[in-house]
Amino acid sequence: MFLEILLKILPLFLGILVGFICSYWNRFRNAEPAISAFVFFIALPCLLFFLTAKADLSHGIPGAVLASILVGTLVYWALIGLVFWLTNGRNLNIALSSSMGGAFGNVAYLGIPVVMGVLGPAGYLPAIIIQLVHNVIFMVGYPLIHGVMSPQGPGSKVRQFGRALRDSLLKNPIMWAVLLGFVVNFVGWPQDGAIMEFADLMSAAASPAALFAVGLGLRPSFQAIRGGQLKILPVGFATVAKLVILPAITFLALLTVGQSLFTMDGGKDWIFAILIMAGMPTAGTAFVLAAAAKGDSNLVAATILGTNIFAALTLPLLATLALSQ
């Protein structure tokens, strides 16, 4: 089973590798922002909208799914945040950015292709919902926590909280694409019109463009590592924590608040998707957020590179274990 899953996941990492190699080609040296913008604002929202609009919602979304993700992710994030806080002179800003770098997985650009590639159509809805929850936790939670605990710029904490909420939630195209897909699904919008055909057309570009963009984005991380003074121990801890400890804590959360998933119809697909999303390598967005917040962006960059390298081995292992549940 391990070899079978490895062969399904390997092409995805080859797409990342091709992107990384092309980042040293002058034609693509400055292409990553444009390709990432296309994926984030056009292709990926179209994919999520299309799949959500066509998803079978007759069984609903189990509450145990949300509970397991929230408990597992937030407990883990708090624990590694405490570790980085204690080991960095109780510097809250560095602790926030470093813990986010060791927790925010690439659930959209890599997680969705992996889950759908292994599970097929059965993985569409789990991939959509779980990546959305993860993105809300970090793309909304991190700016909000940072804005409240380390306020910068004019305005009260309340105003900064509201500004962070508006920028990270209301301007998120991924969230709106999923919500619009649910609306179309519920109202019974025709599935063969021009809008759906356009969404289907753009969806085809989402996975290859996203993987290529991930590869292009690794070069800045590599350069940040070379230009900074890094200690191996914190990077190693963040890498192991992201790829091993987060899935382990998430599994414990499944055993405590998500037990119903082990016996319900289709529950194994949800369990697989939850564990795989937990084991994703760190997202490139973590570096952007850490740099913007003046956190330890070099540590985050090293974590991105390390987790993406070792995930080629840990993800097939995790997928094999998850399918055996």
Side-chain angles (χ1 to χ4, degrees):
M1 181 180 292
F2 171 80
L3 182 60
E4 180 181 352
I5 294 175
L6 176 64
L7 292 177
K8 288 183 178 180
I9 294 178
L10 184 60
L12 304 179
F13 281 92
L14 289 177
I16 295 175
L17 178 61
V18 170
F20 178 70
I21 293 172
C22 287
S23 69
Y24 288 88
W25 188 7
N26 287 336
R27 290 182 179 272
F28 293 100
R29 185 155 294 178
N30 300 313
E32 190 273 332
I35 296 176
S36 292
F38 167 72
V39 173
F40 186 72
F41 290 102
I42 306 295
L44 187 57
C46 282
L47 173 65
L48 297 177
F49 165 76
F50 183 79
L51 294 180
T52 307
K54 287 182 169 291
D56 180 8
L57 303 177
S58 58
H59 297 293
I61 300 170
V65 170
L66 301 180
S68 299
I69 298 171
L70 290 173
V71 170
T73 305
L74 294 178
V75 168
Y76 164 82
W77 194 10
L79 288 175
I80 66 165
L82 179 62
V83 171
F84 280 115
W85 183 65
L86 293 174
T87 56
N88 285 278
R90 302 191 177 186
N91 185 312
L92 183 60
N93 198 32
I94 292 179
L96 283 173
S97 63
S98 300
S99 62
M100 185 266 301
F104 185 10
N106 195 350
V107 292
Y109 287 14
L110 182 60
I112 291 175
V114 169
V115 172
M116 296 195 310
V118 175
L119 294 182
Y124 291 177
L125 185 60
I128 293 168
I129 299 303
I130 296 168
Q131 69 81 29
L132 181 62
V133 176
H134 273 272
N135 275 316
V136 168
I137 290 174
F138 294 105
M139 295 185 71
V140 177
Y142 176 74
L144 289 181
I145 294 173
H146 185 272
V148 171
M149 303 184 73
S150 303
Q152 299 177 1
S156 65
K157 285 188 176 183
V158 174
R159 287 188 177 181
Q160 293 193 40
F161 183 91
R163 191 183 306 124
L165 181 63
R166 178 198 64 200
D167 292 342
S168 56
L169 186 60
L170 298 182
K171 295 183 179 180
N172 189 330
I174 292 177
M175 183 198 71
W176 287 111
V178 174
L179 291 178
L180 186 58
F182 277 126
V183 171
V184 169
N185 194 307
F186 286 134
V187 301
W189 186 278
Q191 300 290 308
D192 55 355
I195 293 177
M196 295 299 292
E197 290 182 6
F198 169 78
D200 188 22
L201 179 66
M202 291 294 101
S203 297
S207 291
L211 297 171
F212 191 76
V214 171
L216 291 175
L218 290 179
R219 187 185 179 198
S221 299
F222 183 70
Q223 291 173 329
I225 295 170
R226 294 181 61 184
Q229 298 296 323
L230 285 174
K231 296 180 179 179
I232 298 299
L233 186 58
V235 175
F237 169 73
T239 300
V240 172
K242 180 67 194 76
L243 298 178
V244 179
I245 299 178
L246 177 53
I249 292 179
T250 301
F251 183 68
L252 291 177
L254 281 166
L255 292 176
T256 54
V257 298
Q259 287 182 336
S260 61
L261 294 175
F262 289 88
T263 56
M264 67 172 286
D265 184 31
K268 289 188 176 181
D269 294 331
W270 286 100
I271 292 172
F272 174 84
I274 289 171
L275 292 175
I276 286 297
M277 290 296 195
M280 284 294 122
T282 301
T285 308
F287 176 80
V288 177
L289 293 174
K294 299 181 180 179
D296 193 346
S297 56
N298 284 333
L299 174 63
V300 175
T303 305
I304 293 170
L305 192 60
T307 53
N308 273 277
I309 291 173
F310 289 105
L313 175 62
T314 59
L315 276 179
L317 285 171
L318 180 60
T320 302
L321 292 173
L323 287 176
S324 66
Q325 298 303 315

